[in-house]
Amino acid sequence: MNYTLHQLQVFLKISQTKSITKAAEALHLTQPAVSIQLKNLQDQFEIPLTEVVGRQLYITEFGKEIAMAAESIANEVYNINYKTLAFKGILTGKLKISVVSTGKYVMPYFLSGFTNKNRGVELEMDVTNKLMVIHALKKNEVDFALVSTLPSGIDVDSEVLLTNKLFLIANQNTTIADAKKISGYLSECPLIYREDGSATRIAMENYLTKQGIQAKMKMQLTSNEAVKQAVLAGLGISIMPLIGLKNELENGTIKIIRAKNLPIVTNWTLIWLRGKKMSPAAVAYLDFIRKEKESINDLHFSWIASY
């Protein structure tokens, strides 16, 4: 046997994607290069690693065993690299963070300074919906999660990063003659909602209930970016976090509608399982956040205070 680490890494990616084309894209290689590496590895085994049925690539049972071994070898190589850096006095390891979808406007600014100073730390950041973020946290699959409202039913520690303000917004052509009649307007105007379980959706529904507004739903969308585009197109109005509206507010394509008991104010908060045994990378990151969050806010988010 004379297979190489590169061949095993390529085959592992093929087994994960079930596609030579997708594996090539993930590895930033050409499709022929991936096919050649697969053939060179296969030539060293008498038992097939893959099979093609129709046009679909399948991994054989033997291939799955080889993929598991390849993953174990790849992990050990990563460990060797981390240990090499550690002996050179460089912070190493993985930092895993799960972020609610709107948090993509926030989290990168609280990461760039840390990752630039600690090149030995490998960052994994998953941007997804709130339910998936909390699921990953409960399963202890991540070091930290970024949320705009603290979850119930889970014991966490937290560090507030940034104020989160939610406003009623409309596109530039929307006019309301009398601001005092906003409740009646909201009862008649099509409203655009986030999906069930979203923190933005919950905040919007709570606000409407407290104001005694019987609103009619026009549309339900699964991201704040989609809601924003729908508002821009004139499909309705919505209550949205300010954080993702900076450009539209500055160029006047979206405007804030002033209404009683708005904005809704929460916090963008970094949370982690209480009692979690943190990795050195996670400990260093939390220390970085506590020391640098005020300067990060001043540099990147001071504009929020003007709304």
Side-chain angles (χ1 to χ4, degrees):
M1 295 283 178
N2 196 30
Y3 43 78
T4 67
L5 175 61
H6 182 55
Q7 289 169 358
L8 292 174
Q9 290 172 326
V10 169
F11 180 65
L12 176 59
K13 186 59 65 176
I14 292 171
S15 70
Q16 291 170 341
T17 62
K18 306 295 189 297
S19 166
I20 289 176
T21 300
K22 291 179 180 177
E25 291 174 353
L27 294 168
H28 305 289
L29 297 172
T30 65
Q31 186 172 332
V34 170
S35 296
I36 289 170
Q37 293 302 318
L38 176 60
K39 181 180 184 303
N40 290 341
L41 181 64
Q42 177 63 77
D43 287 345
Q44 299 180 69
F45 299 100
E46 295 180 1
I47 305 171
L49 299 170
T50 64
E51 60 182 346
V52 177
V53 179
R55 301 182 65 180
Q56 178 63 49
L57 178 72
Y58 293 91
I59 310 300
T60 64
E61 289 302 315
F62 177 68
K64 291 176 182 177
E65 293 291 331
I66 298 301
M68 290 175 61
E71 184 173 22
S72 178
I73 291 169
N75 288 336
E76 288 302 317
V77 170
Y78 282 129
N79 289 336
I80 291 171
N81 291 337
Y82 289 145
K83 289 175 182 177
T84 301
L85 292 171
F87 268 88
K88 293 168 65 177
I90 300 172
L91 182 66
T92 63
K94 288 186 178 181
L95 182 65
K96 298 181 179 181
I97 302 177
S98 189
V99 179
V100 294
S101 59
T102 309
K104 65 178 178 286
Y105 299 108
V106 176
M107 201 66 226
Y109 295 98
F110 289 91
L111 283 166
S112 59
F114 178 77
T115 56
N116 287 337
K117 291 178 182 178
N118 299 283
R119 297 292 187 177
V121 174
E122 181 180 343
L123 173 66
E124 291 184 9
M125 187 175 79
D126 181 35
V127 180
T128 184
N129 61 56
K130 180 184 175 183
L131 294 178
M132 294 302 294
V133 168
I134 302 307
H135 176 77
L137 190 68
K138 285 182 176 179
K139 294 292 185 180
N140 199 26
E141 296 172 350
V142 294
D143 298 302
F144 301 102
L146 182 71
V147 295
S148 59
T149 56
L150 294 178
S152 59
I154 179 172
D155 201 12
V156 299
D157 287 317
S158 62
E159 187 74 25
V160 173
L161 301 187
L162 178 68
T163 298
N164 182 40
K165 297 180 179 180
L166 293 90
F167 287 91
L168 181 65
I169 63 160
N171 74 2
Q172 58 187 338
N173 299 317
T174 302
T175 58
I176 301 177
D178 187 350
K180 294 180 180 179
K181 297 181 180 178
I182 189 66
S183 294
Y185 182 80
L186 288 174
S187 297
E188 296 299 325
C189 179
L191 293 182
I192 304 171
Y193 286 72
R194 282 289 305 275
E195 78 282 4
D196 284 331
S198 160
T200 301
R201 168 70 172 262
I202 293 169
M204 185 171 174
E205 290 181 330
N206 287 343
Y207 171 77
L208 295 173
T209 299
K210 288 178 181 179
Q211 302 307 308
I213 298 170
Q214 297 293 324
K216 60 179 182 180
M217 184 190 299
K218 177 67 174 181
M219 186 180 297
Q220 175 177 298
L221 299 171
T222 58
S223 75
N224 276 3
E225 190 64 30
V227 172
K228 180 171 68 176
Q229 294 303 320
V231 171
L232 283 167
L235 292 175
I237 63 177
S238 187
I239 292 177
M240 286 190 63
L242 183 67
I243 194 69
L245 301 171
K246 186 173 187 287
N247 292 337
E248 290 74 18
L249 289 170
E250 288 180 347
N251 63 33
T253 53
I254 276 181
K255 62 184 179 182
I256 291 173
I257 300 175
R258 300 296 172 179
K260 183 180 179 181
N261 296 323
L262 286 177
I264 301 165
V265 180
T266 60
N267 290 303
W268 288 108
T269 305
L270 196 69
I271 62 175
W272 60 97
L273 288 177
R274 181 163 294 170
K276 178 179 175 60
K277 185 177 180 181
M278 290 190 178
S279 68
V283 170
Y285 179 65
L286 188 57
D287 182 59
F288 167 83
I289 285 296
R290 287 169 171 165
K291 290 179 179 177
E292 302 294 335
K293 67 177 183 178
E294 289 187 12
S295 61
I296 294 170
N297 276 320
D298 290 341
L299 181 62
H300 298 290
F301 301 107
S302 58
W303 62 273
I304 291 175
S306 62
Y307 290 92

